[in-house]
Amino acid sequence: MSPSGVPRGGPPLTEAEAEDLLRCICFKTGPPRTVGAELEWLVHELDDPRLPVRPAKLAAALDTVRSLPLVSALTFEPGGQLELSSRPAGSLMECLDSLAADLTAVRAALGPLGLTLSGYGVDPWHAPRSRVLHEPRYDAMEIALDRTGPAGRAMMCDSASVQICLDAGLEEPGPLGYHRRWQLAHLLGAVLVAAFANSPVHGGRRTGWRSTRQALWTDLDPRRTLAPTPDGEPRAEWAAHVLDTPVLCIRAEEGPWEVPEGLTFREWLRSGLPRPVDVDDLRYHMTTLFPPVRPRGHLELRMVDAQPGPDGWMVPVAVTTAVFEDPHAAETVYRVVKPLAERAGTEPAPRNRLWRAAARDGLADPELHGAAVAVFSAALDALPRIGASERVRRAVAAFRDQYVVPGSCPADDLQVVTS
């Protein structure tokens, strides 16, 4: 570790070594055993969420939450959003119960301070939020993302999500194989965007999207938020994608971090300028890529908007886990979503026609509606087999009946004062 806290990873890294490392660390195969979730929340005034939270009040609240003895990892996003990341759990219920207990503790701490956690994909009232975290990473990110417009700042400060983390899968073919699960994630992902869209209003204005959060990701950067080519071998395609994506920043031991324009990681490896690359630079670079599915040894599904209500987040976690972890459900759902590939075409998610339709139209899109009905049916069949409690099964069934069957989504219920 350098004196500034920037880790140094040993000798310079070669291009071949980087490719080998990416192939080894991004898809760690084996029987699917663990599940995790990362929950982002907007922090609002309890009595009137239309009022902005004063910076001093937000800072005091964050300090209070930091003092809690939580099981989950606690972090904060640049706009003050609160994030809880579960530990890898041995079952769906272990994951849900652990996060639910931590959320109860966080809400109990925020309530007396007059604050609450709100589940929206983007802030319906406050945009742009002011950035409250001023760290070299976020300073550099703001500079880099500003080059392509305002979506970067909105993503950093105004958005919140439910992210589901699942094992990469087995080495061999079949419904639990990593190749199949990678394909499934990118096709099912569009169905999840549509079913759980919950961000039609941003900063008091209706945007024309049911998932404005997903629209922001689509507009964020010409490459950083894209999936790799969908039809290739996942390890090879992801390794090439990482190396050919521009570097967001080059960390420094002192002073601001350099924010190069157009320098890919591969070019940095080859030139060794402005300094040689080490293994920690590669690991850090991967954290600055934001595709809808990010392989980090496991698969991190990043496309679901934050959900309404205290327990709404459980539904996307339960549905996604069920259709990935149960072999019968995985095979059924893969057959359901495979025809969506023709509509997606060759352009990568989230910029292809399928993903744009999901974000814009939700389940009003007939093809996505039909797929969602089948996905929820398979999930409900599988949930008892993976040990889901009756409470969780009822929550999934209620969501299906309220939204999926009639072809709507939480965005269609959101009523806020707009200008």
Side-chain angles (χ1 to χ4, degrees):
M1 184 79 71
S2 72
S4 69
V6 176
R8 307 303 301 154
L13 190 68
T14 68
E15 186 176 346
E17 289 169 341
E19 289 179 341
D20 289 344
L21 186 62
L22 287 167
R23 290 170 182 267
C24 292
I25 66 176
C26 292
F27 293 88
K28 295 180 181 177
T29 54
R33 292 193 178 98
T34 59
V35 58
E38 302 173 15
L39 310 179
E40 296 173 344
W41 300 89
L42 301 167
V43 180
H44 281 145
E45 288 284 350
L46 180 60
D47 293 333
D48 189 349
R50 295 172 299 176
L51 298 176
V53 180
R54 299 189 312 275
K57 183 175 183 178
L58 180 60
L62 300 186
D63 286 342
T64 298
V65 174
R66 286 189 183 99
S67 69
L68 297 174
L70 303 175
V71 175
S72 308
L74 173 70
T75 54
F76 298 96
E77 296 298 310
Q81 308 98 307
L82 183 149
E83 179 176 328
L84 288 175
S85 301
S86 74
R87 293 179 177 176
S91 69
L92 170 66
M93 291 312 304
E94 181 185 337
C95 174
L96 298 183
D97 289 344
S98 176
L99 278 169
D102 284 344
L103 279 169
T104 297
V106 170
R107 291 190 176 104
L110 291 178
L113 302 176
L115 297 174
T116 187
L117 301 179
S118 298
Y120 303 102
V122 296
D123 197 315
W125 297 283
H126 312 296
R129 282 182 163 217
S130 298
R131 185 158 60 95
V132 300
L133 295 185
H134 295 278
E135 302 172 358
R137 173 183 174 89
Y138 298 122
D139 294 344
M141 187 178 292
E142 187 173 277
I143 293 170
L145 298 182
D146 276 352
R147 290 169 179 160
T148 54
R153 293 195 185 204
M155 176 277 292
M156 292 170 66
C157 296
D158 303 344
S159 68
S161 68
V162 176
Q163 299 177 19
I164 303 103
C165 300
L166 301 162
D167 287 330
L170 297 167
E171 190 72 32
E172 58 263 26
L176 299 185
Y178 82 94
H179 199 294
R180 171 74 66 83
R181 285 160 75 89
W182 180 246
Q183 292 178 315
L184 175 61
H186 287 90
L187 294 173
L188 176 65
V191 180
L192 299 177
V193 169
F196 296 108
N198 186 38
S199 51
V201 180
H202 188 209
R205 296 182 181 275
R206 291 201 171 269
T207 65
W209 298 83
R210 283 175 167 84
S211 178
T212 303
R213 175 183 167 273
Q214 189 58 55
L216 291 173
W217 283 111
T218 302
D219 291 341
L220 187 63
D221 184 282
R223 186 168 178 88
R224 192 170 308 281
T225 60
L226 296 184
T229 303
D231 297 329
E233 200 286 320
R235 287 191 176 106
E237 294 295 339
W238 177 250
H241 182 71
V242 171
L243 296 184
D244 292 330
T245 297
V247 173
L248 186 141
C249 58
I250 296 177
R251 298 172 297 162
E253 295 184 8
E254 296 180 358
W257 295 357
E258 183 175 346
V259 185
E261 188 166 5
L263 175 70
T264 69
F265 199 87
R266 192 185 302 277
E267 291 166 343
W268 186 18
L269 284 165
R270 290 175 177 178
S271 69
L273 297 173
R275 62 167 175 78
V277 183
D278 61 38
V279 67
D280 281 322
D281 290 319
L282 177 60
R283 293 181 185 276
Y284 191 85
H285 174 62
M286 285 190 286
T287 72
T288 70
L289 274 61
F290 309 114
V293 183
R294 186 162 63 180
R296 304 182 64 184
H298 58 274
L299 301 182
E300 182 183 79
L301 281 71
R302 304 168 47 83
M303 69 288 297
V304 177
D305 282 358
Q307 293 297 289
D311 298 327
W313 61 272
M314 291 186 179
V315 177
V317 177
V319 168
T320 307
T321 303
V323 302
F324 266 81
E325 303 304 275
D326 180 80
H328 178 72
E331 185 64 29
T332 298
V333 169
Y334 180 72
R335 292 176 181 174
V336 166
V337 300
K338 189 176 181 181
L340 298 176
E342 181 176 353
R343 186 171 176 190
T346 58
E347 190 171 3
R351 294 193 171 186
N352 61 49
R353 291 184 303 154
L354 175 67
W355 280 69
R356 288 183 183 274
R360 182 183 60 249
D361 302 326
L363 295 187
D365 181 279
E367 192 172 11
L368 288 164
H369 178 216
V373 170
V375 167
F376 270 73
S377 177
L380 283 165
D381 286 344
L383 283 169
R385 296 195 291 269
I386 65 170
S389 69
E390 184 177 351
R391 177 190 174 197
V392 170
R393 300 198 301 270
R394 285 200 305 266
V396 173
F399 188 98
R400 176 199 60 188
D401 294 343
Q402 182 176 357
Y403 295 116
V404 177
V405 172
S408 66
C409 59
D412 296 322
D413 287 349
L414 184 57
Q415 300 293 327
V416 300
V417 176
T418 62
S419 55

